[in-house]
Amino acid sequence: MGCVVAVRGSVVDVRFDGRLPPIHSVLRAGSDGRIVIEVLAQRDARRVRGIALTPTQGLARGMAVTDTGGPLMVPVGKGILSRMFDVFGQPIDGKAGLTAVEWRPVHRAPPPLVRRSTASEIFATGIKVIDVLVPLERGGKAGLFGGAGVGKTVLLTEMIHNMIGHHKGTSIFCGIGERCREGEELYREMREAGVLPNMVMLFGQMNEPPGSRFRVGHAALTMAEYFRDDERRDVLLLIDNIFRFIQAGMEVSGLMGQMPSRLGYQPTMGSELSGMEERIANTDTGAITSIQAVYVPADDFTDPAAVHTFAHLSASIVLSRKRASEGLYPAIDPLQSSSKMATPGIVGERHYRLAQDIRRTLAQYAELKDIIAMLGLEQLAPQDRKVVARARRLERFLTQPFFTTGQFTGLPGKLVSLSDALDGCERILHDEFMDFPERALYMIGAIDDAMGKSPPPPPPRTVAHAS
């Protein structure tokens, strides 16, 4: 039993006369233990400093504090499927309590190297531009980088919709510091799509204390590890947004009185991010495949949060505000995005060669844009005009109508297989669609959809001249 000696916002100092609770222990204070505090530092032989995971209204000096004797725990088991939780593992979907679950600590070590799988497999998404140019890895980590309003959450939601149909595993969605409106909308959409039975959702919302937002990612990982290790199932872990995890850590660090590092970030940012990311792994029992949205402050990719996150990823999908303004959705920048899977040994020689040809064509078009802006398309050499035509058709073919945006666009969603996507790109590169208007390739699925959308004009008739 201890007592509160200082309260400064979310930071609470507690004195114990006996044994000090270890780091990460959970303390409870207030009536019914409603105020939850996690120990982050031992100040001296009698005092600990912790961060509150709940609001501290009503907490005062001298109040009794109880040591629960363990770290933060979350429920795992088949009983958590189709449910929505907060950081404490309490259901927030308004349904009855949990059954058939056990409770596990959120702090766990990453799997040892000897248990990790070294096989590389492609994880298909059904989205053309990703599968062709930025293939994802089964058991890998992919990041969706972009500023505010370029479509990170929409792309993440579309991936859930596409993958759950043919992904025979469990999906876990973790919302870190996001709007509660987005959580409610996602829950409703997943229920209407009939995919909730194989899904778990956790939320540490924007209005919650930094300690709660800082730990909800660990809680989601503990649930994912249960399905991977105990149930031997593949897990799709979606995190929106990993920047909010770093931001919550920065708030906690500042409240704890640590000296800030570059641009005000916490000095322990690298180790905190690594501690979470390294638990996402492909082992001998199953794989946790993670797709993480990463907000980029002011679209600055040299920001320390973006730089540290890049280091952990096998694929980086960069969303471009310029492409979004041109209506090219998904607004993925094919020249800035990259994947470690895009090698001949993994994707195959044909796929690799096609991806390189696409990138080369789009890069040449990017270089020619300045000349076109100054002198006009007519001043280009015939060969360069062909490159521009190919690139513009490729750009439009790599757009795709989404299932999750059908109600706004009026276009039914399309799921495109990798073979269809590669076939379409190859035929465009071979100038098969030069006679088609560019708009015929915009917002379609497979390339054959363009045939019905806009047939090519008839060839010009030759007129015999009288001699």
Side-chain angles (χ1 to χ4, degrees):
M1 202 70 163
C3 76
V4 176
V5 292
V7 183
R8 289 181 300 280
S10 291
V11 175
V12 183
D13 286 1
V14 183
R15 190 184 73 237
F16 287 87
D17 292 327
R19 181 185 72 91
L20 278 185
I23 304 293
H24 298 320
S25 293
V26 168
L27 314 176
R28 287 188 173 270
S31 59
D32 304 327
R34 60 182 177 78
I35 298 172
V36 182
I37 303 159
E38 184 181 35
V39 176
L40 290 187
Q42 295 178 336
R43 304 293 292 168
D44 52 39
R46 297 183 65 185
R47 287 187 308 151
V48 296
R49 177 167 288 175
I51 190 86
L53 306 184
T54 54
T56 55
Q57 282 91 344
L59 194 64
R61 284 189 298 173
M63 287 181 72
V65 176
T66 306
D67 178 10
T68 62
L72 187 64
M73 311 277 275
V74 291
V76 297
K78 291 183 178 175
I80 67 172
L81 289 170
S82 80
R83 303 299 300 270
M84 185 157 56
F85 298 96
D86 63 10
V87 69
F88 305 109
Q90 301 301 322
I92 54 173
D93 50 12
K95 295 181 185 174
L98 298 172
T99 55
V101 298
E102 64 170 292
W103 292 76
R104 290 189 183 172
V106 302
H107 301 283
R108 296 163 67 89
L113 282 174
V114 71
R115 281 196 55 215
R116 295 188 181 229
S117 170
T118 54
S120 293
E121 290 179 50
I122 296 300
F123 194 80
T125 65
I127 298 170
K128 289 180 286 192
V129 65
I130 294 176
D131 290 344
V132 172
L133 295 175
V134 203
L136 307 187
E137 179 188 11
R138 175 183 173 268
K141 297 180 273 283
L144 302 179
F145 291 83
V150 291
K152 296 184 300 298
T153 303
V154 169
L155 192 53
L156 209 58
T157 311
E158 183 70 7
M159 285 186 181
I160 299 171
H161 188 284
N162 289 3
M163 291 180 200
I164 269 176
H166 62 261
H167 171 73
K168 306 302 180 200
T170 307
S171 293
I172 295 178
F173 183 90
C174 176
I176 306 178
E178 289 300 294
R179 304 163 189 83
C180 51
R181 167 185 60 78
E182 291 176 346
E184 190 273 333
E185 286 172 359
L186 183 68
Y187 182 79
R188 194 172 63 243
E189 284 169 12
M190 295 301 107
R191 186 178 59 199
E192 288 169 2
V195 298
L196 264 187
N198 279 319
M199 195 166 183
V200 185
M201 302 169 92
L202 285 96
F203 287 96
Q205 295 163 27
M206 200 176 261
N207 62 326
E208 294 183 18
S212 171
R213 288 179 269 125
F214 190 49
R215 287 291 175 236
V216 72
H218 298 93
L221 267 169
T222 302
M223 292 179 177
E225 285 165 343
Y226 163 81
F227 288 109
R228 180 192 66 192
D229 300 336
D230 294 45
E231 298 277 333
R232 293 176 172 266
R233 293 164 77 171
D234 282 1
V235 183
L236 178 62
L237 175 64
L238 302 125
I239 302 176
D240 188 10
N241 185 305
I242 206 73
F243 172 77
R244 306 290 178 205
F245 167 77
I246 294 171
Q247 192 177 44
M250 178 167 66
E251 291 177 48
V252 169
S253 174
L255 290 166
M256 293 292 290
Q258 293 178 346
M259 183 71 74
S261 180
R262 204 171 135 231
L263 296 184
Y265 286 103
Q266 64 272 38
T268 52
M269 175 171 64
S271 57
E272 287 168 1
L273 189 61
S274 301
M276 191 164 92
E277 294 281 8
E278 288 304 302
R279 290 170 64 181
I280 302 168
N282 191 352
T283 69
D284 49 5
T285 56
I288 299 176
T289 303
S290 175
I291 300 168
Q292 310 168 9
V294 188
Y295 168 69
V296 181
D299 292 343
D300 177 15
F301 285 90
T302 63
D303 187 272
V307 170
H308 277 266
T309 308
F310 268 122
H312 294 280
L313 305 173
S314 55
S316 301
I317 300 168
V318 178
L319 296 167
S320 155
R321 194 173 302 282
K322 186 172 182 298
R323 291 178 74 81
S325 68
E326 292 170 3
L328 299 172
Y329 291 105
I332 294 170
D333 187 329
L335 299 179
Q336 275 195 286
S337 304
S338 64
S339 170
K340 293 174 184 172
M341 295 292 101
T343 61
I346 296 173
V347 298
E349 193 65 46
R350 175 179 176 248
H351 184 165
Y352 175 76
R353 178 177 47 77
L354 270 173
Q356 293 298 97
D357 286 349
I358 293 165
R359 286 181 190 278
R360 192 179 304 113
T361 304
L362 294 174
Q364 285 175 305
Y365 176 43
E367 289 171 6
L368 292 168
K369 276 182 178 176
D370 288 342
I371 299 173
I372 296 167
M374 285 187 290
L375 303 175
L377 189 64
E378 295 74 21
Q379 299 302 314
L380 293 179
Q383 195 59 38
D384 286 341
R385 282 207 292 273
K386 280 190 173 181
V387 167
V388 170
R390 276 185 219 122
R392 289 181 63 84
R393 281 162 177 77
L394 279 171
E395 281 186 337
R396 277 142 190 80
F397 176 63
L398 291 176
T399 61
Q400 190 166 338
F402 281 177
F403 291 95
T404 49
T405 57
Q407 57 182 322
F408 308 114
T409 62
L411 299 170
K414 300 279 186 180
L415 187 73
V416 185
S417 68
L418 176 61
S419 60
D420 284 347
L422 290 173
D423 182 50
C425 292
E426 190 170 42
R427 289 168 70 182
I428 291 170
L429 286 168
H430 289 162
D431 294 343
E432 199 174 313
F433 290 85
M434 276 299 179
D435 294 331
F436 280 67
E438 292 171 2
R439 67 175 182 278
L441 299 169
Y442 179 67
M443 283 293 172
I444 60 170
I447 195 74
D448 291 338
D449 293 355
M451 303 286 191
K453 195 171 179 182
S454 180
R461 288 186 302 157
T462 54
V463 180
H465 293 279
S467 56

